[in-house]
Amino acid sequence: MEEDLDLLQEATEEAEAAEDSRALYEVKMKFLGRTGKVTALLKSMKDIAAEARPAFGKKVNALREAIEEKFAAIEERLKGRELEKKLAGEKIDVTMPGKRTKKGALHPVTRVKDQLIDLFSGMGFEVFEGPEIETEYYNFTALNTPADHPARDMQDTFYLEAGSGQKESLLLRTQTSAGQIRVMEKKKPPIKILSPGRVFRSDDDATHSPMFHQMEGLVVDKGITLCDLQGMLDEFAKKMFSETSKTRLRPSYFPFTEPSVEVDVSCASCGGKGCSLCKGTGWIEVLGAGMVNRRVLENCGVDPDVYSGFAFGMGIERIAMLKYGINNIKLLTENDVRFLEQFED
Ligand code: PHE
């Protein structure tokens, strides 16, 4: 029994050997737990002669306190070491080079589209977006281009297989002009809308792509004339290309406008003197336009004897190519970052 009172050394050695607080807990239990060695000593008191009991009890209590103290000191040391280890794991090296996230940039087509919307909304135009899948009626017939009209060939396109119960063929729209009809059917003059969107044609070379974007404009009110169109186009050319840009109208033909014009802008690259970009002419064709054909107004229930209007349609890729000197339309859809990076702010 007496030698058991020397447990302090044993307990200290075992506790010192504990590698972490979990192992120390095991040692604690071994000595001070319910079935621990010190607890056993306390329980053995009843077997000791009554007169020796107080002295024995005192010793056991002193032993317990001494062991508890040791354990507490060792526990503190272990906890300190563990905390240090945890903090070391969380340490941040502030001298490490940072990871640079690259800022994206708007695609040139989006950029030009946004600039056009900005420019024209400043003149009071509202944006209307029509569907990309159209009926023949909106894309051609209502635009004064009946089924046998040769102008349909120029815009030969992608037809969709007719579904059951479907009266009319559907197609991928060839022009945002389809939106003119949709707007005039819903809204009575005065009308001033801008309609951006994707269009599709079976065309494919360095300056034509089977899918491209157009920006359509339509103004209908009392007393609208070709002069209003030209005034507005001059403003557009100055804001879009350069302060000194001029426009010129050349006679053209579109079934849905009468008269129809092709609009050229003076070459911003050579200032109109003639260069390779404008093929020596000093002018660059940028859009088609004209006075809305009476038949189109009639098709939409607008009285052509009271109202008149003009419409224009431009290719957004074409404007982007002119503005940024891009020589092949394919570059715009290839998604090559080396090309796209050049448009970062
Ligand atoms: N829709 C015509 C085209 O795709 C352009 C245009 C629009 C012409 C509006 C006149 C008026 O070529």
Side-chain angles (χ1 to χ4, degrees), residues 164-190:
S164 58
Q166 187 185 300
K167 285 186 257 48
E168 243 191 309
S169 322
L170 293 176
L171 47 87
L172 299 183
R173 68 175 169 196
T174 62
Q175 48 189 355
T176 41
S177 303
Q180 291 185 28
I181 309 298
R182 291 193 175 268
V183 167
M184 284 193 280
E185 273 182 357
K186 282 201 204 83
K187 204 167 140 60
K188 292 300 139 213

Side-chain angles (χ1 to χ4, degrees), residues 17-37:
E19 286 196 341
D20 51 26
S21 37
R22 178 177 269 268
L24 180 66
Y25 179 77
E26 301 294 327
V27 179
K28 248 189 196 170
M29 286 300 113
K30 186 170 164 191
F31 290 90
L32 305 173
R34 233 167 4 106
T35 55
K37 291 187 174 181

Side-chain angles (χ1 to χ4, degrees), residues 71 200 223 255 275 282:
F71 283 179
F200 307 83
C275 66

Side-chain angles (χ1 to χ4, degrees), residues 237-239 241-246:
K238 284 193 173 55
K239 291 229 173 88
F241 298 103
S242 108
E243 253 320 295
T244 53
S245 289
K246 287 192 276 293

Side-chain angles (χ1 to χ4, degrees), residues 155 174-177 180 201 214 216-217 254 256-257 288-290 311-314:
Q155 296 190 359
T174 62
Q175 48 189 355
T176 41
S177 303
Q180 291 185 28
R201 294 185 193 177
Q214 281 189 331
E216 188 89 8
F254 297 104
F256 38 91
T257 46
F312 62 88
M314 56 182 89

Side-chain angles (χ1 to χ4, degrees), residues 152-169:
R152 283 206 185 194
D153 285 348
M154 283 192 321
Q155 296 190 359
D156 199 10
T157 186
F158 307 96
Y159 286 84
L160 280 80
E161 231 162 74
S164 58
Q166 187 185 300
K167 285 186 257 48
E168 243 191 309
S169 322

